[in-house]
Amino acid sequence: MLEADYLVIGSGLAGLYFALRASEHGRVLIATKRAASDSNTSYAQGGVAGVLDPDDRIETHIEDTLRVGDGLCNRKVVESCLREGPEHILRFANELGVPFDRGPDGQFELGREGGHTARRIVHAKDTTGAAIHRTLLQRVMERDDRIQLLPDHLAIDLLTTAKYGGPNAVFGAYLYDQTTSEVKTATARAVVLATGGAGKVYLYTTNPDVATGDGIAMAYRVGARVANMEFFQFHPTCLYHPQAKSFLISEALRGEGGILRLRDGTAFMHRYHEMKDLATRDVVARAIDSELKRTGDDHVELDMTHLPGDFLLDRFPNIHQRCLELGIDMRRVPIPVVPAAHYCCGGVAVDERGRSSVRNLYAIGEVSMTGLHGACRLASNSLLEAMVYAARAADDVKSARSDRPGHVAPWYAGEATAGDEAVVVSHNWDEIRRLMWNYVGIVRTDRRLERAAQRIDLIRSEIRDYYWNVRVSGDLLELRNLALVADLIVESARRRRESRGLHYTLDHPDHDPRLARDTVLARGDGPVV
Ligand SMILES: Cc1cc2nc3c(=O)[nH]c(=O)nc-3n(C[C@H](O)[C@H](O)[C@H](O)COP(=O)(O)OP(=O)(O)OC[C@H]3O[C@@H](n4cnc5c(N)ncnc54)[C@H](O)[C@@H]3O)c2cc1C
């Protein structure tokens, strides 16, 4: 049995920053399902949004966030989060030592991204997330007297008192050790979900393999409220190349003057929005989707060739290097791009301190739904949100009281024998991701959603049979979560009979003011069980 004051699930920005701060007052156990660096955080390119330029104003950042959120942001949350954000950015830079880019005068070099009306993105070249992650991990390692990090430990399910009688409270989790196949029991005063996003639910995604929505699924299974799952952000520009797996071409390229063109060289964004290539992601992704459908092409192009070559090399060394490996020199030829699933705006519904609706269960970072993003996330607000909520949760968790029962039942593997039908698992993975891409993607319809719901229902019942009959494996556990998350997305999308933010349906193309509210799902409330 593993024991700590706080059990953190996930080792991205949210989990590591929480652990550092909470280690001031308790022992922290971090379980992470692969290597510590396997996270969306490590892939972030653009940077962190925050008002740090004296000529910029918090009010403008607030207005930008609310406008992009399309009527669903929680204004109080937006205001407090964006006001608190810059102090964390400064702490990351000055106390933790993240090497954000600075000009000769020592001031941050600020980038601009879609939807922002000012330059306010702090970055470390085009590998900001990796720089943040490396630094945070180093700081966590230095606290090994207070923080224990367990790589290759995949959280299966949360432990709750409901099973033992009494009100629902979380007191730990079962962890699957991927190296030994052993299932361990971990208990704590509070459990913090920092499991990141769910991009793997779609066929094409910018997310790494760990992003299978596990935290959302685990929280939903113990009765926590989950909200706004219909709002999945598609990044407009993922590299289109048969040998490139999910490589993002950052929005910052358009921020620096990149122009989207059809394959014949025609620019098209002016036909879709007055901000042209710097319109918000949902507008740009839909514009590309519509142009691809109209022309029959399989990609569009991002043209950087009119910008100075030296500047491109200096500002985007990582992207340049990756493209060059594939024979694309962005100084000379345009970069082929397509949209891909990128960011899950919905998640475990939490209050201003990161508390879910179930006692002693917190959710921070991409796994959560705080009210900051509303119906569409403003670029680079997510790392900021992860910083703010990790810090708040670390302060709040101090007062959590243990609900652990006297005796905790160990994991029961039953009569299950090792699974010899891996092909069923991989088939279902593939089917879910394809049907989500085709039926629940950038443009939706009632019929497509209905079809998706029927298929997912069937797949989930198949998984349920399979799950209880074989010994668990990492793939099977992730598949079970992925299928539930797909179901939650489809159910939320079916309930929103209007178009808003990232949710666009041909059958209800306009806003319906009566639906300007969150879509909240909880076990027992509706069709998803
Ligand atoms: C390519 C790319 C570029 C991006 N660029 C930006 C940007 O410029 N600015 C910005 O603000 N945002 C950006 N984002 C989004 C941002 O990176 C994420 O929202 C943010 O990093 C999420 O941090 P997190 O700590 O919540 O989750 P993550 O960093 O994803 O960490 C989640 C962790 O949980 C672990 N985990 C998951 N399930 C389990 C389980 N069952 N058991 C144990 N461990 C588990 C994972 O292995 C991982 O360690 C980008 C995302 C991508 C993919």
Side-chain angles (χ1 to χ4, degrees):
M1 175 105 69
L2 298 158
E3 281 179 47
D5 290 304
Y6 316 123
L7 169 63
V8 180
I9 304 175
S11 60
L13 188 159
L16 294 181
Y17 193 39
F18 170 91
L20 261 188
R21 296 186 63 119
S23 67
E24 300 292 330
H25 47 76
R27 286 168 310 125
V28 185
L29 179 65
I30 306 175
T32 192
K33 68 178 168 182
R34 304 249 166 102
S37 59
D38 277 326
S39 62
N40 276 3
T41 299
S42 297
Y43 287 76
Q45 295 178 347
V48 195
V51 173
L52 291 152
D53 179 344
D55 292 336
D56 192 8
R57 294 171 58 240
I58 290 275
E59 289 69 24
T60 333
H61 192 181
I62 293 170
E63 286 316 315
D64 288 348
T65 302
L66 294 173
R67 188 186 64 255
V68 172
D70 206 5
L72 277 200
C73 296
N74 177 327
R75 184 180 258 278
K76 250 176 78 183
V77 167
V78 173
E79 288 182 355
S80 69
C81 191
L82 300 188
R83 282 185 205 286
E84 257 169 78
E87 97 191 30
H88 291 288
I89 297 177
L90 292 174
R91 190 161 296 145
F92 271 62
N94 302 333
E95 290 175 28
L96 300 177
V98 178
F100 292 125
D101 292 350
R102 295 177 189 261
D105 56 357
Q107 302 298 316
F108 292 121
E109 264 179 15
L110 299 171
R112 185 163 173 203
E113 292 189 348
H116 287 275
T117 52
R119 284 191 170 264
R120 58 170 76 102
I121 317 296
V122 183
H123 54 84
K125 300 286 180 208
D126 54 354
T127 49
T128 309
I132 289 178
H133 197 276
R134 245 191 334 268
T135 311
L136 266 179
L137 191 58
Q138 183 64 38
R139 300 290 159 264
V140 163
M141 297 299 200
E142 289 161 8
R143 303 245 34 195
D144 60 356
D145 54 326
R146 311 281 287 173
I147 306 173
Q148 187 187 359
L149 179 65
L150 291 179
D152 294 315
H153 279 66
L154 188 156
I156 304 177
D157 267 321
L158 298 164
L159 298 168
T160 75
T161 49
K163 271 200 184 146
Y164 300 82
N168 203 14
V170 166
F171 65 89
Y174 288 125
L175 307 177
Y176 175 69
D177 182 338
Q178 309 228 48
T179 56
T180 62
S181 302
E182 187 192 344
V183 177
K184 300 172 184 170
T185 305
T187 65
R189 284 198 274 139
V191 176
V192 180
L193 295 171
T195 47
K200 293 298 280 189
V201 84
Y202 285 101
L203 188 58
Y204 300 112
T205 176
T206 62
N207 292 189
D209 290 348
V210 290
T212 50
D214 300 0
I216 297 169
M218 282 189 279
Y220 181 83
R221 282 196 290 267
V222 297
R225 283 201 286 271
V226 168
N228 289 358
M229 291 299 292
E230 67 273 38
F231 300 117
F232 215 104
Q233 188 162 55
F234 288 78
H235 198 289
T237 54
C238 189
L239 182 61
Y240 179 79
H241 192 282
Q243 281 154 34
K245 192 183 170 200
S246 314
F247 188 73
L248 179 78
I249 302 296
S250 168
E251 187 146 6
L253 274 77
R254 280 177 286 124
E256 299 298 349
I259 299 170
L260 285 163
R261 300 185 188 280
L262 299 177
R263 293 183 70 184
D264 67 5
T266 318
F268 56 88
M269 276 312 299
H270 60 279
R271 287 195 273 110
Y272 290 91
H273 201 274
E274 60 194 13
M275 287 180 83
K276 299 187 207 162
D277 298 273
L278 280 180
T280 56
R281 287 181 180 171
D282 55 322
V283 173
V284 181
R286 265 203 304 277
I288 297 177
D289 190 63
S290 144
E291 288 299 322
L292 293 181
K293 290 205 166 89
R294 191 179 65 76
T295 58
D297 285 343
D298 43 18
H299 68 272
V300 294
E301 296 182 332
L302 180 62
D303 185 7
M304 304 296 290
T305 56
H306 52 291
L307 295 165
D310 291 350
F311 166 74
L312 295 178
L313 282 192
D314 181 58
R315 178 71 177 86
F316 305 111
N318 177 47
I319 295 173
H320 174 68
Q321 186 52 38
R322 184 71 186 117
C323 287
L324 211 53
E325 283 164 16
L326 300 166
I328 304 158
D329 183 343
M330 68 159 121
R331 293 169 300 179
R332 295 192 175 82
V333 292
I335 308 169
V337 290
V338 281
H342 185 57
Y343 185 84
C344 185
C345 289
V348 181
V350 294
D351 68 9
E352 72 288 353
R353 288 180 264 180
R355 296 183 299 195
S356 77
S357 58
V358 174
R359 190 174 140 89
N360 290 343
L361 179 65
Y362 290 72
I364 52 175
E366 190 167 339
V367 66
S368 67
M369 199 298 284
T370 63
L372 176 68
H373 306 307
C376 181
R377 173 189 70 133
L378 179 64
S380 287
N381 266 356
S382 41
L383 290 172
L384 189 82
E385 180 191 49
M387 289 178 181
V388 170
Y389 278 81
R392 289 184 187 177
D395 288 342
D396 191 74
V397 79
K398 260 186 249 176
S399 54
R401 282 208 328 273
S402 174
D403 285 304
R404 187 186 137 166
H407 169 75
V408 181
W411 172 258
Y412 178 66
E415 300 303 311
T417 52
D420 57 358
E421 292 184 64
V423 64
V424 181
V425 176
S426 64
H427 175 86
N428 281 337
W429 256 87
D430 193 55
E431 186 169 354
I432 291 172
R433 299 184 65 203
R434 254 174 221 288
L435 81 87
M436 288 298 288
W437 185 259
N438 290 327
Y439 297 160
V440 200
I442 298 171
V443 177
R444 302 163 178 177
T445 67
D446 286 349
R447 263 200 74 206
R448 288 183 202 160
L449 290 178
E450 200 180 312
R451 276 206 189 112
Q454 283 166 3
R455 282 301 306 141
I456 289 170
D457 210 32
L458 216 64
I459 294 173
R460 286 194 63 209
S461 71
E462 223 170 274
I463 294 170
R464 269 192 291 269
D465 288 348
Y466 191 71
Y467 185 78
W468 298 113
N469 281 315
V470 300
R471 213 177 281 282
V472 291
S473 68
D475 282 348
L476 177 57
L477 293 168
E478 287 181 341
L479 171 68
R480 173 183 178 232
N481 294 331
L482 208 68
L484 173 52
V485 169
D487 212 343
L488 292 168
I489 294 174
V490 173
E491 178 60 23
S492 305
R494 291 178 86 192
R495 290 186 187 196
R496 187 164 292 284
R497 298 171 75 78
E498 64 160 353
S499 290
R500 182 184 294 276
L502 300 163
H503 174 70
Y504 183 74
T505 157
L506 294 175
D507 292 317
H508 314 277
D510 301 313
H511 275 74
D512 180 343
R514 292 166 306 171
L515 295 177
R517 54 171 189 261
D518 296 330
T519 310
V520 183
L521 302 177
R523 208 171 164 175
D525 281 357
V528 188
V529 284

